[in-house]
Amino acid sequence: MLLDMHDQAGAGEPDNFQRLWTPHRMAYIKGENKPTGTGPDDGCPFDAIPKMSDEEGLIVARGEVVYAVLNLYPYNSGHLMVVPYRHVSDYDELDPAELVELSQFTQRSLRALRKAGGAQGFNVGMNLGHVAGAGIAAHLHQHVVPRWGGDTNFMPVVARTKVLPELLRDTRQALADAWS
Ligand SMILES: [Zn+2]
């Protein structure tokens, strides 16, 4: 599942959208140990992250019922996810408060990415279920992937295997500052 720089250099080509959403590249945050359980006690990273500090968990913003977090294995620099605190797999299960704040956080993610990174476009969406390519199907999450022409920007495009912790920390800080 290596993604080399040649791959990244292809960003912006017509097939890019498809490439971005190819299931085998779907992100697993905190990565190596892809959770298979169905409950909060089964190692779900989306349940563990809110218990961490913002810096440790790469959390950009915390809401009442959802939070925004950087993807540890971004498709693009600044790749955010909006996640309900509640361990829920299906969009159909979200309650009204979660639906509203998920939308609000998606909107604020776009704003922060424009402000901090000058994002020119976005891929926004969620994959529900393993068959749809969800890396962590048990806990739904909305992807917000910033795009630039050529996909090169102030936040360097990094390959999945080359994500530097320092870069992620800097990116998180920039987005957290831009959030408010
Ligand atoms: Zn969970």
Side-chain angles (χ1 to χ4, degrees):
M1 217 175 301
L2 293 180
L3 171 65
D4 61 25
M5 292 314 285
H6 176 75
D7 245 332
Q8 290 287 359
E13 292 170 4
D15 65 343
N16 194 53
F17 186 88
Q18 183 182 359
R19 192 182 301 165
L20 273 174
W21 295 99
T22 299
H24 74 264
R25 278 187 51 195
M26 294 313 295
Y28 330 151
I29 62 170
K30 305 298 182 187
E32 306 78 38
N33 302 309
K34 183 177 172 181
T36 54
T38 55
D41 297 325
D42 295 328
C44 175
F46 291 127
D47 299 331
I49 288 170
K51 300 187 179 98
M52 303 176 187
S53 69
D54 289 358
E55 290 75 17
E56 186 189 3
L58 298 173
I59 294 168
V60 171
R62 299 174 191 254
E64 295 294 318
V65 289
V66 308
Y67 65 98
V69 61
L70 271 186
N71 194 319
L72 195 58
Y73 300 104
Y75 299 141
N76 218 346
S77 299
H79 178 172
L80 288 173
M81 294 174 296
V82 180
V83 190
Y85 293 119
R86 195 160 64 93
H87 186 87
V88 57
S89 63
D90 198 329
Y91 193 75
D92 199 38
E93 299 172 57
L94 292 178
D95 66 29
E98 288 165 336
L99 283 170
V100 167
E101 199 172 47
L102 186 85
S103 292
Q104 290 173 332
F105 263 49
T106 300
Q107 188 179 57
R108 295 183 74 178
S109 295
L110 304 180
R111 288 178 185 156
L113 287 163
R114 284 199 185 98
K115 183 177 176 183
Q120 298 167 337
F122 301 92
N123 296 110
V124 176
M126 57 183 75
N127 303 290
L128 301 175
H130 288 296
V131 295
I136 301 174
H139 196 139
L140 78 81
H141 46 286
Q142 170 107 300
H143 293 273
V144 180
V145 182
R147 306 300 305 274
W148 298 270
D151 279 341
T152 56
N153 191 267
F154 88 114
M155 295 189 267
V157 173
V158 291
R160 174 181 166 155
T161 52
K162 294 177 181 175
V163 174
L164 302 174
E166 304 79 50
L167 178 65
L168 285 169
R169 275 198 291 273
D170 291 348
T171 303
R172 189 212 70 80
Q173 188 63 57
L175 289 170
D177 291 347
W179 189 272
S180 50

